[in-house]
Amino acid sequence: MSGMRSPFWEKMTCRILLLIILTSCVSGSFVVNVTQTCYQAEENHNITLEWTFTTKPDRSTKTLNILCELFINDKVSVLHHVHEGVEVSESQDAKFSGRVQSDKDALREGRIRLQLSRLRTDDSGLYLCEVNTDYGFSVGRCRLNVTAAAAETKHQTPTMNPQTESRGSICCGFLGDMYTYVPIYLSALKIYTVIFM
């Protein structure tokens, strides 16, 4: 079955190839960058995803078109959409409704800052942000990994005082032909002092 590809992945491959071709064909040096290629967060927290793009002071924001989307397996969800400088909230996927705030001041400076609140584990995935203007086109991509909230551990006896706790993750970039994400979790380390009466 490894030789078979679903229609979705064929379309996805074609779309990514098209984006690469279009980006390479654009004259000038219009670029979309990400401030981080990988974000790590816990559910119910907030996070700000940020991209930067080349600006020209003599150009109006009315020529600006932005489409930021989340790709998870065979599903695409629109996170943020701007058409000719105007935000199109109707395009936003229902799962993001009321949870995304954009910084309009930053947009004028060539920064796309999207605060995603009340994170859920199904917000994890690949985020692509396409920026199209009358002077260039480019795409930036990043990964977000949202982990489940840690359950509170109840200790009855003996009494324990947590001294140190460390949690983290290492993001290993994009592997394979479809940017497979490999998160490696560092196990939490907890050192307790047992108090004896």
Side-chain angles (χ1 to χ4, degrees):
M1 297 289 181
S2 60
M4 296 178 66
R5 282 175 176 255
S6 70
F8 171 80
W9 285 119
E10 288 176 1
K11 287 179 184 176
M12 237 352 258
T13 304
C14 290
R15 182 174 181 180
I16 290 172
L17 288 173
L18 180 61
L19 291 175
I20 292 168
I21 292 166
L22 285 172
T23 302
S24 63
C25 290
V26 171
S27 59
S29 56
F30 184 82
V31 186
V32 174
N33 290 312
V34 286
T35 54
Q36 284 182 233
T37 56
C38 182
Y39 293 84
Q40 173 76 32
E42 193 174 272
E43 69 176 334
N44 299 320
H45 287 199
N46 303 336
I47 198 165
T48 300
L49 306 177
E50 185 170 343
W51 293 264
T52 61
F53 61 92
T54 310
T55 58
K56 289 194 175 183
D58 59 333
R59 293 298 200 278
S60 167
T61 55
K62 290 181 180 178
T63 67
L64 187 60
N65 296 285
I66 299 168
L67 184 61
C68 300
E69 297 170 300
L70 166 63
F71 292 82
I72 308 175
N73 298 325
D74 59 347
K75 190 175 185 330
V76 181
S77 305
V78 174
L79 173 72
H80 183 63
H81 183 203
V82 172
H83 179 68
E84 295 181 349
V86 179
E87 192 170 325
V88 186
S89 56
E90 297 81 11
S91 301
Q92 190 177 66
D93 192 274
K95 70 175 281 183
F96 293 122
S97 180
R99 298 198 297 130
V100 180
Q101 281 190 322
S102 62
D103 187 335
K104 293 175 178 59
D105 292 330
L107 195 59
R108 286 189 281 271
E109 300 167 359
R111 292 184 298 134
I112 302 165
R113 298 184 80 249
L114 303 176
Q115 185 186 67
L116 182 55
S117 59
R118 303 187 304 280
L119 286 171
R120 305 174 346 192
T121 54
D122 64 355
D123 291 331
S124 299
L126 174 67
Y127 286 79
L128 280 181
C129 197
E130 306 168 16
V131 181
N132 189 8
T133 71
D134 62 345
Y135 57 91
F137 171 86
S138 188
V139 182
R141 58 182 174 263
C142 66
R143 277 277 178 183
L144 171 62
N145 185 43
V146 181
T147 55
E152 284 187 25
T153 319
K154 295 180 181 178
H155 296 281
Q156 298 297 329
T157 54
T159 305
M160 295 185 178
N161 291 337
Q163 287 183 332
T164 61
E165 179 177 339
S166 64
R167 298 180 66 194
S169 70
I170 299 171
C171 297
C172 296
F174 305 110
L175 302 176
D177 61 343
M178 290 309 298
Y179 308 104
T180 305
Y181 174 65
V182 184
I184 301 175
Y185 299 99
L186 301 176
S187 59
L189 173 63
K190 294 184 180 178
I191 302 173
Y192 293 98
T193 301
V194 179
I195 301 174
F196 295 94
M197 302 301 293

